Amino acid sequence: MKHVKTLTGAVLNNSLKKGGCGECQTSCQSACKTSCTVGNQTCENSN
Amino acid sequence: MIHQYKMKDMNIVLDINSGAVHIVDNMLYDIIEKLEIGQSLLEISQSMANVYIEEDIDEAFEEVNKLIQEKQLFTSNRYHSVVDTFKQRETVVKALCLHIAHDCNLSCGYCFAEEGEYHGDRSMMSLEVGREAVDFLLNNSGSRKNLEIDFFGGEPLMNFDVVKGIVEYAKNKEAEYHKNFRFTITTNGVLLTDEIIHFINENMYNVVLSIDGRKEVHDLMRPTPNGKGSYDLILPKLLQVAESRNQKNYYVRGTFTHNNLDFANDVLHLADLGFKQISVEPVVAPDNRAYALKEEDLPTLFEQYDYLAEKMLHYREEGKEFNFFHFMIDLKQGPCVSKRMTGCGAGSEYLAVTPEGDLYPCHQFVGIEDKKMGSVYGGLKRMDIQAEFKACNLFSKEACTSCWAKFYCGGGCNANAYNFFGDIHQVYPMACELEKKRVECAIYLKARETFRI
Ligand code: SF4
Ligand code: SF4
């Protein structure tokens, strides 16, 4: 496409179907202890 | 729901419900803006006719249509349908924050543990309580395999023998229970020795090292009890930890306050010292403290995030790349929707344990008597608190439901909301503004990295 470059497609739709396994790290354990932020967490089950 | 913004020369469009992110040219940016407020294609092409040529406009319309068909633009919210089942989901405890020591060897001005003591007396967790906590986690984690234990304080190194004992105890149970423990520790670095560093490197999945940045900034807020700064004391040790872990699986973690609104310089200072994993975050403090961030600080803080983002690009070009925790974003294989809806999991999946073994929804609730949920001896008693936290999600908070950043943020910090409003279903607007700015910067950096532009 000429006017748009897509950085990421519809990632959330896919994961809604899959549901959550809960194996990933709790967000406040990773560094900060003061805010939640989930966007930077990594999925343990991405395949 | 769409969120669009310009950063430097880049036009960024986020389709919130699908998670899609597009970089568009000026014309498409304008078209999407007009579509979002409900203008028809005819109205749009008429209003643009004297700026762009007709064929180009038509071509852009086609591209918009394609994105819509591919469910990457103007997608609808299909999440409300899952909210009810979501609230009733079974949860298990998968992470504990162990308050190994309610005592500290520094007297940091902004510490929410109030110099390590958490509204109570100085105290140390015994190995017996620690073991009981491990058993509690093993018995309450259902089929969850990865379990997390964070050694927190006060300053956990003041009670390091117990840390060692707990690690040993938990590891001995891994095979029998088919679990995998991930240990993390948060320390101010004062008591680090070669031996302790070795133990940490052998056993800890992540280590968080507290340092605020420039010496004068750090020393102002992080003095020793006799009032001297602690920067010189800890820096060599923190550098040693970072190097000995090959610059991975650790964070240097600082706090910025009203005293250092130019905090980007603190981040860059840490990067210049050679640290590669950096997290510097806004202080959480009651409004009446002199060092608390104020609403009028926001424009300066936004500029600082912009400045930091540009600087990070320069550092990368010069081969001095580093990670800034809150600018990290996983757009492709990030967390599933259910994780994004639950956020931090405080009070359900994640609990804090005091030195005495009492259970609280998270480390920031420790000491708030009516949020005490039970004890590692005897287990969870206040199921009402658990239910309250479990029901708290993106779609139970009005502010979050209508917020474009919700799937990146996860719904903010419940403790923050409780401290300011006495209600975990509120959000703290200052934190939201900063969160949204960081998400914008993170996506911008990702786009620059991906498209090499
Ligand atoms: S930024 Fe604020 S309003 Fe938006 S999702 Fe996060 S906590 Fe909720
Ligand atoms: S309530 Fe706040 S401090 Fe507690 S775990 Fe959640 S994000 Fe972290």
Side-chain angles (χ1 to χ4, degrees), chain B residues 3-7 10-12 14 29 439-440 443-444:
Chain B
H3 176 67
Q4 51 188 146
Y5 64 103
K6 290 176 186 263
M7 199 159 160
M10 198 181 275
N11 301 325
I12 302 174
L14 314 180
Y29 190 88
V439 171
E440 288 189 349
I443 291 173
Y444 165 77

Side-chain angles (χ1 to χ4, degrees), chain B residues 313-328:
Chain B
L313 291 168
H314 290 149
Y315 273 54
R316 191 161 73 201
E317 271 165 29
E318 290 167 10
K320 298 190 294 180
E321 189 168 7
F322 65 92
N323 283 324
F324 179 63
F325 180 67
H326 271 139
F327 282 178
M328 288 161 70

